[in-house]
Amino acid sequence: MIGLYVTVPIASFRRGAAREYWETLPLPSPSTVYGFLLSMVGEVDRTCHIGARCTAGVIGHPDESTVLRKLWRIKDKKLGLGNGSNVRPDYQELLTDVRLVIWLDSSEEVTESEGTLQQRVAASLTTDGRSRISRFGGLSLGESTHMVDEVLPIQRAPELADESVRMFLLDKSGNFTLPVWVDHVGSSGTRNALGRLIEVGFEPPDVSRLPKIQDSKVLMTK
């Protein structure tokens, strides 16, 4: 298992059911964390590391604000993106000064074509490993405009010793559901994990309580 300390100056982790008013979750879902890690290592195939377990915890309480911004939507396929009825102002919740802890474990990954995701993330944190990564644009978490400020191995963030973190961990009697896989065409393939936000320290959590990245369609064809 590997732990990361991640900071994002401005972020929004949109709730799946949000429509005109874009509410934010207090922290990124496992599916968002997984996408962030794939981007970090330059992987464009999101099925490459099925079976990885990952989750996030938020440190402290980021400031919340609401902004009115121009958002795109498809109301008329004949019009281009951002034109006419395909654009309108809507409210969006933002978080500022977001500090996160991310845990990743690859012991149950289905494929290891280029090494496990855990190995690739660990390599990306080294100067030599980072120089071999080919990726697109800047590193973001959530929306593409919400750029990450820093990513460190958790051992290199000693200032965290006196703080606590609210971590999303699996719990069959939990009260919080977050996606581990999002079906971007409809929602029939979206998979969720049931858990709760638990206040913990900075020690690695029990692996069995980390949400597992699973895509039912891919697993059926393996």
Side-chain angles (χ1 to χ4, degrees), residues 4-142:
L4 306 176
Y5 172 65
V6 180
T7 63
V8 193
I10 299 175
S12 182
F13 309 117
R14 185 183 177 186
R15 292 183 182 274
R19 292 297 180 262
E20 280 73 19
Y21 184 78
W22 283 24
E23 300 172 85
T24 182
L25 295 164
L27 75 176
S29 67
S31 60
T32 300
V33 170
Y34 178 64
F36 161 71
L37 295 172
L38 292 181
S39 177
M40 184 173 162
V41 301
E43 179 56 63
V44 296
D45 179 4
R46 71 171 180 154
T47 67
C48 187
H49 294 290
I50 292 293
R53 289 179 179 267
C54 60
T55 194
V58 59
I59 302 169
H61 296 272
D63 293 329
E64 295 185 20
S65 59
T66 302
V67 296
L68 181 64
R69 59 172 290 191
K70 185 184 296 183
L71 296 172
W72 292 6
R73 62 192 67 242
I74 305 299
K75 290 292 185 181
D76 187 343
K77 293 182 179 179
K78 298 179 181 177
L79 299 175
L81 293 175
N83 293 321
S85 59
N86 288 342
V87 61
R88 57 169 288 176
D90 276 324
Y91 289 97
Q92 181 184 34
E93 292 181 344
L94 296 177
L95 301 173
T96 52
D97 190 22
V98 180
R99 298 181 299 151
L100 301 168
V101 172
I102 289 176
W103 290 104
L104 165 67
D105 183 271
S106 291
S107 57
E108 298 178 45
E109 280 188 21
V110 177
T111 59
E112 300 180 2
S113 57
E114 298 184 50
T116 66
L117 183 56
Q118 182 178 329
Q119 291 169 334
R120 296 176 70 182
V121 167
S124 74
L125 296 173
T126 67
T127 302
D128 182 56
R130 189 161 48 246
S131 67
R132 294 196 295 269
I133 293 175
S134 176
R135 55 187 306 278
F136 305 96
L139 184 62
S140 59
L141 183 55

Side-chain angles (χ1 to χ4, degrees), residues 1 103 201-207:
M1 188 181 301
W103 290 104
F202 293 89
E203 297 299 319
D206 184 336
V207 173

Side-chain angles (χ1 to χ4, degrees), residues 27-30 54-58 166-170 176-178 180 193-198 209-211:
L27 75 176
S29 67
C54 60
T55 194
V58 59
R166 290 175 295 147
M167 182 80 61
F168 178 71
L169 295 174
L170 296 178
F176 203 31
T177 300
L178 291 177
V180 296
L194 177 63
R196 64 175 68 242
L197 294 183
I198 300 175
R209 300 197 66 183
L210 297 186

Side-chain angles (χ1 to χ4, degrees), residues 142-158:
E143 294 187 33
S144 60
T145 54
H146 296 163
M147 308 298 289
V148 168
D149 186 34
E150 60 182 338
V151 182
L152 297 173
I154 199 168
Q155 299 86 344
R156 290 174 52 191

